[in-house]
Amino acid sequence: MVKEDVVVTTITVHSMEQNVVVVSILWAGYVLLFGVVAWRVYKSLRDVARDESSSGDTSRALFYKLLGMALLSRIIFIPIQNVWDGQMIQLVAETLPQLMFASAWALLVSFFSNLVATASGGVSSNKPSLLIDVAVYLMYIVLVVWYWWNDAAAVLLYALLCIVFAGLFGSLAFFG
């Protein structure tokens, strides 16, 4: 006789009060992290204001600004996601902060690729990364607007985010 293993799965449904506590803790963590990033932005801008700042200092200040904007968007959208039931708001609240984090990460990838290009005697430029960033945001806007008429745009929106993060990861792996 063969004994079969039985797998038991328990689904726990939390009350609204428990959900509010968990979301409040998450939100407080983002606020705390935003405070740290805001302090770093202040210090970086103060360093850039001096005459002896380098392009690395300028890139660092810009990275902290982009990271701060991404965190601020997440801080704004966390309560909206838990209160609003509209699908359009939910889609934007989930994807826009991710795209903003990708912009901050793209700056780091661009910095590393410029560093590699300079070290190998090549020419470095940030113009292609800016053009790609603008194109991705335009595609994001088109897909969000298209979502009003066709729900399939949500899948394309998540596919866009996957492609952006895969491209950033691949670039960082290549240049890093």
Side-chain angles (χ1 to χ4, degrees):
M1 180 174 212
V2 177
K3 183 178 177 184
E4 293 183 27
D5 291 332
V6 177
V7 177
V8 177
T9 304
T10 305
I11 298 174
T12 306
V13 179
H14 296 286
S15 67
M16 186 61 175
E17 292 81 19
Q18 289 172 327
N19 188 33
V20 168
V21 169
V22 170
V23 170
S24 297
I25 291 170
L26 178 68
W27 188 80
Y30 275 112
V31 170
L32 182 65
L33 188 58
F34 178 74
V36 171
V37 169
W39 172 249
R40 295 300 306 171
V41 167
Y42 170 74
K43 285 185 69 175
S44 294
L45 289 177
R46 192 178 59 195
D47 292 343
V48 169
R50 289 190 233 143
D51 292 334
E52 66 268 0
S53 67
S54 66
S55 63
D57 292 333
T58 306
S59 295
R60 186 180 310 111
L62 182 57
F63 169 72
Y64 285 135
K65 283 182 197 176
L66 290 172
L67 188 61
M69 289 175 19
L71 286 169
L72 186 61
S73 70
R74 181 59 76 194
I75 288 169
I76 291 169
F77 281 128
I78 282 177
I80 291 173
Q81 274 184 290
N82 288 294
V83 173
W84 225 303
D85 285 335
Q87 288 182 347
M88 176 66 86
I89 294 293
Q90 291 290 330
L91 183 71
V92 172
E94 288 175 4
T95 56
L96 184 61
Q98 293 173 3
L99 190 60
M100 294 176 83
F101 278 114
S103 294
W105 192 18
L107 182 70
L108 286 180
V109 171
S110 175
F111 176 76
F112 283 121
S113 64
N114 287 340
L115 193 63
V116 168
T118 302
S120 64
V123 178
S124 62
S125 172
N126 283 333
K127 289 185 172 81
S129 83
L130 178 65
L131 182 64
I132 291 170
D133 228 11
V134 169
V136 167
Y137 275 100
L138 286 176
M139 287 178 63
Y140 178 83
I141 291 168
V142 166
L143 288 172
V144 167
V145 170
W146 187 27
Y147 183 72
W148 283 100
W149 294 282
N150 190 348
D151 290 343
V155 174
L156 294 175
L157 190 58
Y158 285 109
L160 173 69
L161 286 172
C162 287
I163 290 168
V164 166
F165 278 107
L168 288 170
F169 178 73
S171 299
L172 192 60
F174 177 75
F175 290 110

